Amino acid sequence: MMKLDVWDRFQNLFQSIENQLAEELRKKSDLGLSEFRTLRSLVQQPDHEMRMLDLAELLHLTQSSTTRLVERLEKRKFVYRDSCPSDGRGKYCVLTEDGKTYIETAIPEFENSIERILKSSFEEKYARSLIRELGQLAST
C-alpha cells in the first residue's frame, strides 16, 4: 500500500472521530470544538487569559475567525476581552468565573466522550490495520 493511501486513511479516521466529538459536544453544550478548546486553554493558563494572537495560533485560526469565536463566548458570558496593559493595541481573552465553572464541568464529560468514541472507533478492523500500517511507516 502506498504511503499516501495510508495517510489518507489516517486523515479519514481522524476526521470521523473529530466529527463525532463535535456533534456530541454540540448536543450537550451547544459549543463547537474550537470554543471548547478556547475555554480549556484559558483555564490552563495561570491568569486564565491569553493574547488573542496567541489564541489564534493555538487554534490554527485566522485573527478574524478567532474574534468571531470569542464574540460567541462573550455572549454566553464565558469570556471577555481586555486591553494589554503594556500595549494598548494588544487584546487579551480572559476567562470569567462562569466560563471557568462551565469548562471544569465540561472537561470530564468530554473526556468520557473521547474515551467512548475512540474505543468504538479503534475496535473496528479497519482502524486496527491502519494502526499497524502507521507503525510500519514510522519504522521505515
Side-chain angles (χ1 to χ4, degrees):
M1 178 167 279
M2 304 233 351
K3 292 178 182 182
L4 286 176
D5 292 335
V6 175
W7 178 248
D8 288 342
R9 289 177 54 212
F10 172 73
Q11 284 185 303
N12 289 337
L13 178 62
F14 177 80
Q15 192 60 54
S16 171
I17 292 167
E18 184 99 334
N19 289 344
Q20 290 175 63
L21 288 170
E23 180 62 26
E24 197 156 308
L25 185 61
R26 175 102 29 228
K27 285 179 184 175
K28 289 182 178 180
S29 67
D30 197 32
L31 283 182
L33 282 173
S34 293
E35 294 159 332
F36 179 88
R37 288 179 180 133
T38 298
L39 296 175
R40 181 173 176 263
S41 297
L42 290 171
V43 80
Q44 293 175 325
Q45 299 300 312
D47 294 328
H48 302 301
E49 64 184 27
M50 286 182 76
R51 287 182 65 98
M52 292 285 288
L53 183 61
D54 295 336
L55 187 57
E57 288 177 14
L58 178 76
L59 298 171
H60 304 284
L61 296 174
T62 64
Q63 286 182 337
S64 61
S65 293
T66 304
T67 298
R68 288 190 302 275
L69 180 147
V70 169
E71 286 171 352
R72 290 191 302 273
L73 291 171
E74 281 180 312
K75 287 179 184 174
R76 293 187 67 171
K77 309 238 187 282
F78 288 162
V79 301
Y80 66 91
R81 283 179 278 185
D82 198 10
S83 295
C84 175
S86 62
D87 175 9
R89 294 173 295 156
K91 295 286 183 197
Y92 278 88
C93 180
V94 183
L95 188 67
T96 66
E97 274 305 311
D98 286 348
K100 184 176 183 251
T101 300
Y102 171 82
I103 197 64
E104 288 175 345
T105 302
I107 287 173
E109 292 176 17
F110 191 67
E111 287 176 340
N112 289 337
S113 295
I114 290 171
E115 183 177 348
R116 186 177 38 71
I117 290 169
L118 286 175
K119 188 175 182 178
S120 69
S121 295
F122 287 104
E123 284 177 351
E124 298 175 19
K125 182 180 174 184
Y126 168 81
R128 288 193 307 266
S129 69
L130 177 59
I131 291 169
R132 279 192 303 275
E133 291 165 357
L134 285 169
Q136 290 169 355
L137 284 178
S139 64
T140 59

